[in-house]
Structures are given as structure tokens and as C-alpha cells.
Amino acid sequence: MGFFADHAGDGQIRKHRLYYVALSTPVYWTDCDIDVVWGGFTWVASPILAGGVNNEPSGATASFEYGDADGAMFAALATQNGGELALGAIYEAGFLLTNQTAVPDEVVQIFSGRVDRVQISTIQKDTILFTFMPPAVTTAAMLPTRLLSTLLRS
């Protein structure tokens, strides 16, 4: 069995997610309260609210919210078509309660796909909602037909 299965329900691990988005300068974020070191990268502790990872007949979808209080991510996305079609991945990192390091005991990938759309809201706080879709065929002529969202500051 695996690490997560071995510790299912035993209360001996804490889980955090790692988020990768392949922008022109790739971002490596985590919802952990400290930076996480895994896979040769430092995953920066960020104000993230995890969303769901759903399996649907057409493929998996996923989402998460990123707190962008200073507007830096909004500015970066504005120059990159909102990050649409950028590759993305979400991982679950498991830490034994006795592990007080930045290196997880086990990491599993729970989603791989592309950015479908990005929505930006300033109603209560500056947040960016990333929504992912299943991996698309990389030939532009073969991409699925869908509405392209635009960056809006509400």
C-alpha cells in the first residue's frame, strides 16, 4: 500500500496541496504555512483556498483561489492572456506529524491539465480563481471550442 493509504484516518499526517502553473515564469505555490521543498523546487507558501478536484465524464477539472492583495499576479496574468491554456498541476503532499521539516514524506499528483479560465474579484479581497480543464490537444486547430474569458476587475 502507499503512504496515504497506510495512514488513512489514523490522524498521523497533515496534508497540503502544491500548485504549479506554467506561466512565462512558472509559479510553484503551496497552501502550507511554510515553503515546501519537493521535486527540485521551492513551493512558496501562499494565500490559497483549495477548491475541488472533480472527475467528470469529459475529464477531471480543478480550481483554487489565490489571494493577490498587492495585484502582482493580476499584472502578470494581464500580459499572458490570463494564463489561459497554461499547463497546470496539483499535488497532495503528506507530512507525518513528527516531520517538522519543509520536505514532505510523500507527494502524489491529483490533477494535471491546463488553465481554462481565470476570474479576478476585488469585492471582499483581491482574489484570483484559477479553473483548470483536462489536458487539451496542443495543436491550436484541435483545441476544444469554448468561450475565452477575459480578465475583469470587478
Side-chain angles (χ1 to χ4, degrees):
M1 304 217 358
F3 176 82
F4 289 102
D6 291 346
H7 292 284
D10 70 2
Q12 297 301 307
I13 63 169
R14 64 187 195 286
K15 297 178 188 176
H16 294 284
R17 288 192 176 170
L18 308 177
Y19 300 87
Y20 165 74
V21 182
L23 299 174
S24 59
T25 300
V27 294
Y28 300 88
W29 296 321
T30 180
D31 61 4
C32 188
D33 55 353
I34 62 168
D35 292 352
V36 172
V37 177
W38 176 77
F41 302 99
T42 298
W43 303 73
V44 179
S46 301
I48 291 178
L49 178 60
V53 174
N54 304 304
N55 289 312
E56 300 173 358
S58 60
T61 60
S63 65
F64 68 94
E65 283 188 38
Y66 175 84
D68 190 33
D70 65 0
M73 183 51 56
F74 174 81
L77 290 168
T79 65
Q80 299 179 56
N81 193 33
E84 286 188 0
L85 301 180
L87 294 174
I90 301 174
Y91 302 87
E92 191 157 77
F95 295 82
L96 288 169
L97 295 180
T98 56
N99 179 352
Q100 299 299 311
T101 72
V103 180
D105 293 294
E106 183 72 38
V107 176
V108 295
Q109 185 173 29
I110 59 173
F111 180 82
S112 176
R114 294 184 178 272
V115 174
D116 183 28
R117 65 186 173 277
V118 174
Q119 297 169 303
I120 297 171
S121 171
T122 58
I123 294 171
Q124 294 178 340
K125 58 180 178 173
D126 287 342
T127 60
I128 301 173
L129 173 65
F130 286 83
T131 303
F132 292 105
M133 63 180 175
V137 178
T138 56
T139 327
M142 301 290 290
L143 289 174
T145 304
R146 61 185 173 78
L147 295 174
L148 296 177
S149 61
T150 58
L151 289 174
L152 297 175
R153 262 190 97 92
S154 32

